[in-house]
Amino acid sequence: MRLDVITIFPEYVSPLREALLGKALDRGLIQLGVHDLRDYAHDVHRSVDDSPYGGGPGMVMKPQVWGEALDAICPAEPTPRLIVPTPAGRPFTQAMAHAYAREQHLVFACGRYEGIDQRVVDAAARRMPVDEVSIGDYVLIGGEAAVLVMVEAVVRLLPGVLGNQASHEQDSFSDGLLEGPSYTRPEVWQDMPVPDVLRSGNHAAINRWRRDRALERTYHRRPELLAALPAESLDKHDRKL
Ligand SMILES: Nc1ncccc1[N+](=O)[O-]
């Protein structure tokens, strides 16, 4: 998979070259291009934004600069998927992370939170799929942090990136529930023992216990996820909880 990130703060996304993502880069599982949007601004001040038509606070990013950057970075064939992080976007979910993990080429356009001139998205949508996506209902200064979040969620799903392939099959949300509590050695810590069932070796009982904890946690923290579960995915034991 190829990933390109366009931003006025290239150093902000340098963590993408660290840790597991860095290893995925070294092993050629992903290719990463980080592009400074200002390289496509040709006026003496290399300005990338201007005041909004209709007035209002903040600045809006200029269409010409983005247009030139996207023409240079998004090839005609195969067209990439353009992802624009914005608080006004569709909520980013694990399902979207899985869908993006199947793409060959993703381009992330990091804008100021006041936004990018709408015509940039409209023009790009004429020749490639464009998703305006939000990572949450709060306002960041720009899209860079959202790109770090989305790239990590997507790249960890690529075959070979996580050591133990199974680890993302048990992710929270993979079965529609939040993951329950986890424990490791020592057996007792600060007078708190590890739940006996987890040391019993009885895998049926362990799976049952884990599902019960996941259901309880989901019920208390994210009841709407329970409500969204297909009826058949809850057995009669689940319903008794
Ligand atoms: N929440 C956000 N705030 C600013 C830019 C992007 C954002 N987002 O969620 O992708």
Side-chain angles (χ1 to χ4, degrees):
M1 170 185 284
R2 177 165 181 85
L3 301 158
D4 284 291
V5 182
I6 308 168
T7 167
I8 54 174
F9 300 117
E11 67 287 351
Y12 198 106
V13 293
S14 51
L16 292 178
R17 298 191 188 284
E18 302 299 322
L20 264 183
L21 298 186
K23 287 192 177 61
L25 277 167
D26 296 344
R27 291 162 50 207
L29 295 173
I30 54 174
Q31 296 79 42
L32 174 67
V34 179
H35 310 270
D36 187 340
L37 181 67
R38 289 193 193 283
D39 292 347
Y40 301 92
H42 305 305
D43 61 301
V44 65
H45 299 294
R46 302 182 79 198
S47 62
V48 295
D49 52 19
D50 198 343
S51 48
Y53 274 115
M59 302 284 272
V60 176
M61 298 191 101
K62 297 155 69 90
Q64 310 92 317
V65 183
W66 275 104
E68 205 179 304
L70 291 175
D71 287 350
I73 293 158
C74 301
E77 273 308 319
T79 50
R81 178 173 293 274
L82 178 63
I83 299 168
V84 184
T86 165
R90 220 158 35 103
F92 183 64
T93 63
Q94 189 68 10
M96 284 167 75
H98 279 283
Y100 289 166
R102 292 190 290 272
E103 297 274 354
Q104 288 306 310
H105 187 189
L106 299 175
V107 177
F108 292 89
C110 298
R112 300 168 62 95
Y113 97 86
E114 295 94 337
I116 301 174
D117 187 299
Q118 185 60 39
R119 291 167 292 183
V120 172
V121 166
D122 298 345
R126 290 178 187 156
R127 70 182 185 88
M128 70 189 103
V130 181
D131 290 350
E132 294 183 80
V133 180
S134 166
I135 61 163
D137 293 340
Y138 36 77
V139 182
L140 304 169
I141 297 170
E144 284 76 10
V147 169
L148 293 179
V149 166
M150 288 192 270
V151 167
E152 182 169 326
V154 171
V155 170
R156 70 181 285 274
L157 296 174
L158 298 179
V161 172
L162 287 185
N164 166 5
Q165 191 54 25
S167 46
H168 67 69
E169 263 111 50
Q170 277 95 42
D171 278 349
S172 273
F173 309 107
S174 61
D175 58 358
L177 298 176
L178 301 184
E179 206 161 324
S182 301
Y183 301 85
T184 185
R185 283 185 283 268
E187 276 183 32
V188 181
W189 181 71
Q190 306 249 355
D191 299 332
M192 293 183 284
V194 169
D196 290 338
V197 65
L198 297 180
R199 296 186 297 110
S200 68
N202 176 341
H203 291 287
I206 289 168
N207 289 337
R208 183 72 264 170
W209 182 88
R210 283 178 166 161
R211 182 160 174 88
D212 290 353
R213 298 299 75 71
L215 285 161
E216 275 167 6
R217 180 173 279 186
T218 308
Y219 176 79
H220 290 294
R221 295 180 185 177
R222 298 289 303 276
E224 79 282 4
L225 291 181
L226 274 188
L229 278 180
E232 63 276 8
S233 65
L234 292 176
D235 64 30
K236 60 182 184 322
H237 176 95
D238 296 337
R239 296 178 192 289
K240 278 211 298 288
L241 269 179

